[in-house]
Every structure is written in C-alpha cells, then in structure tokens.
Amino acid sequence: MPRAPWMAVVWPAFLAAGVLEIVVFAFIDPHDLHWNDAALPLSRQGIYTVAFFVFWGVALASSALTALLAMSAADINN
C-alpha cells in the first residue's frame, strides 16, 4: 500500500471529531462540566471549540496510527 497522503489522515479525523462533538453535546450541557470541582471558565462556544480540537486530536492520532500500520516495512524503512 502506498504512503497515505496527509489529507487521507486529517479529513476522516475531522469528520469523526464533528460527529463526536454532536453526539457528546447532544447529551451534555457544556456549563455542567467541571474541572477540579470548579466550573470551566469558558463560554459554551469556548467549550465547544476546545472539545472539538481535543476530539480532533484523538481521532487524528487514531487515523495516523491506522495509516502507519497499513504501510509495508519497505515503505517505513525508505
């Protein structure tokens, strides 16, 4: 399998983060979230933004690992 272009990793991760954002915040109100027994000092939009980038980072790591594991040893060593 040829080396995956970077968009083949980033785009599915972006889509997965968007879906995860919708699913999570359909059930959780951002102002109900707490960190160390204190409410988060962000607006709802700020919490949505931070959460999206966290979800995107996790999905990006997963997609990148999948692309890495799909590569042959010859592709990795070159």
Side-chain angles (χ1 to χ4, degrees):
M1 180 175 204
R3 180 172 282 172
W6 64 277
M7 280 303 292
V9 173
V10 175
W11 183 244
F14 179 84
L15 294 176
V19 170
L20 189 56
E21 180 96 4
I22 291 168
V23 170
V24 167
F25 289 113
F27 297 104
I28 298 173
D29 181 16
H31 282 187
D32 289 342
L33 298 175
H34 290 77
W35 185 265
N36 291 334
D37 293 330
L40 296 175
L42 296 171
S43 66
R44 277 191 168 91
Q45 187 176 4
I47 293 171
Y48 291 143
T49 302
V50 170
F52 176 79
F53 283 110
V54 169
F55 296 154
W56 195 8
V58 171
L60 184 64
S62 174
S63 294
L65 183 59
T66 300
L68 178 67
L69 292 174
M71 294 170 58
S72 69
D75 289 337
I76 293 172
N77 290 330
N78 286 333

